[in-house]
Amino acid sequence: MNFDKEYIDIFEHYEPVCIDLGPGVMNDLSAEFLLSEEKPVVTFVIGGSSITRSGARADMTNMMLHSEFESRLVCGIPAEPDLDDVARIIEALKESQSTEVVAIGGGSVLDAAKAAWAAYQTGLDVSALFGVNKITEKFPGKEFRRIIAVPTTAGTGSEVTPYSNIVDRAAGVKRLISDRQIVPRMALVDPSYGRSMSGGLTAATALDALTHCIEALLNTGSPETKFATNHNAVYAVRLIRDNLPLVFRDPNDVNARERLCAAATIGGIMIADRPTSLPHLGSFSFYGQVPHGIAASMLLPPFWRYYLAEKAVAERTMLLADVFPSDAPQKTPEAVVDAAAAFIALHAGVPKLSALPCFDAAMVGRIAADAVKNPMKLASAPRPVSPENAAEIISEILKKEL
Ligand SMILES: [Fe+2]
């Protein structure tokens, strides 16, 4: 097996989603719709100006001109989409009576489209979908149509996950839908779209993917599954370690971007089965202030050090000893975490957690208070944390970083 291209094999055998990765994969859409028995009515859900800069919008327009299907466009879905953004998509779906949804953009656009398509088909209010398996439980035995995802950033892995994060502004929180019925049926990943991303966005998205892979690796409570394996997590971390510096050096290095995209999609496959825990949980409190991937990755080292008291976590950490080597005389789990923390800080452009804007005593209090609102993420922590003691433990860990 060619290590560098091992991801092709992983994707080929991943049953829930048909994954195609490479320059020009948007063209696969025409063929996909040609195969439809009925003439499809397609709603394209896209983000803001970054979609134009990436070249994805031009590819979409070109494909629409040369294909025989009815289409409708919903533009301008922002980062951190809220219930109003989802409602706008649902309105468009109702008006056009769509039979297909294609989401083109970052994870936010994909998440909004997943939520809207599920709400439209089930007839349920979006707020009734928040939580775990609400659709599957309400409609046993029924299979709903799923979106086609075209991610333009390499980070969230939303193109292969059963998750959708939507902001509930009235409640002041980000809320999660988790249901296999919203896993996209097809993911078309074109690494060339990443070339227009700034260095900051490239880092934030790659470090988000890195955090997914490491949190999944450390999630000793969830078993290895056919695809969410320790081997695949370490493999994807190595791809990011090797290729993020190359993309920093040359933003047009499409080969390196392809590997970052592959790692991000593997990260999505990992967290679909082995969810993230405290670092991601803490990152939600930064929404609107610090990019998600920067917040999550900068929170990773302190929580990782806390987890190390568990023998199984220390053993998993040593699987990364060659990926994050250190100058320390002895190879220890602590040295691996220190080396990973240095890699993250270097690429995030933030020397330490306390250098993040808005990381202060009030933020520590908010993270601790918000944590108890998400028992699912607490339950994924490899070192036991309960809703009763979570606030105390989390503030103790983070106060050391102030
Ligand atoms: Fe994330």
Side-chain angles (χ1 to χ4, degrees), residues 34-49:
L34 264 181
L35 295 173
S36 302
E37 285 173 18
E38 292 171 19
K39 191 176 172 186
V41 181
V42 187
T43 290
F44 288 85
V45 179
I46 67 174
S49 55

Side-chain angles (χ1 to χ4, degrees), residues 2 6 27 48 60 101 218 243 272 279 294 313 351 360 374 381 389 395:
N2 177 352
E6 193 178 326
N27 293 326
M60 179 191 74
V101 171
L218 303 180
N243 290 285
I294 300 294
V313 174
D360 53 17
N374 200 327
N389 65 15
S395 26

Side-chain angles (χ1 to χ4, degrees), residues 330-351:
Q330 287 198 319
K331 284 189 173 186
T332 63
E334 288 78 9
V336 174
V337 180
D338 288 346
F343 178 87
I344 291 167
L346 178 68
H347 292 89
V350 183

Side-chain angles (χ1 to χ4, degrees), residues 117-173:
W117 194 214
Y120 169 71
Q121 292 182 86
T122 58
L124 295 173
D125 196 78
V126 180
S127 57
L129 308 180
F130 290 131
V132 181
N133 294 331
K134 298 293 182 196
I135 306 164
T136 301
E137 282 169 10
K138 207 156 180 89
F139 299 92
K142 186 161 168 61
E143 296 291 325
F144 290 97
R145 284 171 175 264
R146 298 176 289 142
I147 71 160
I148 295 174
V150 184
T152 53
T153 58
T156 67
S158 181
E159 65 274 13
V160 290
T161 69
Y163 308 128
S164 165
N165 278 296
I166 303 296
V167 174
D168 180 344
R169 296 209 187 274
V173 288

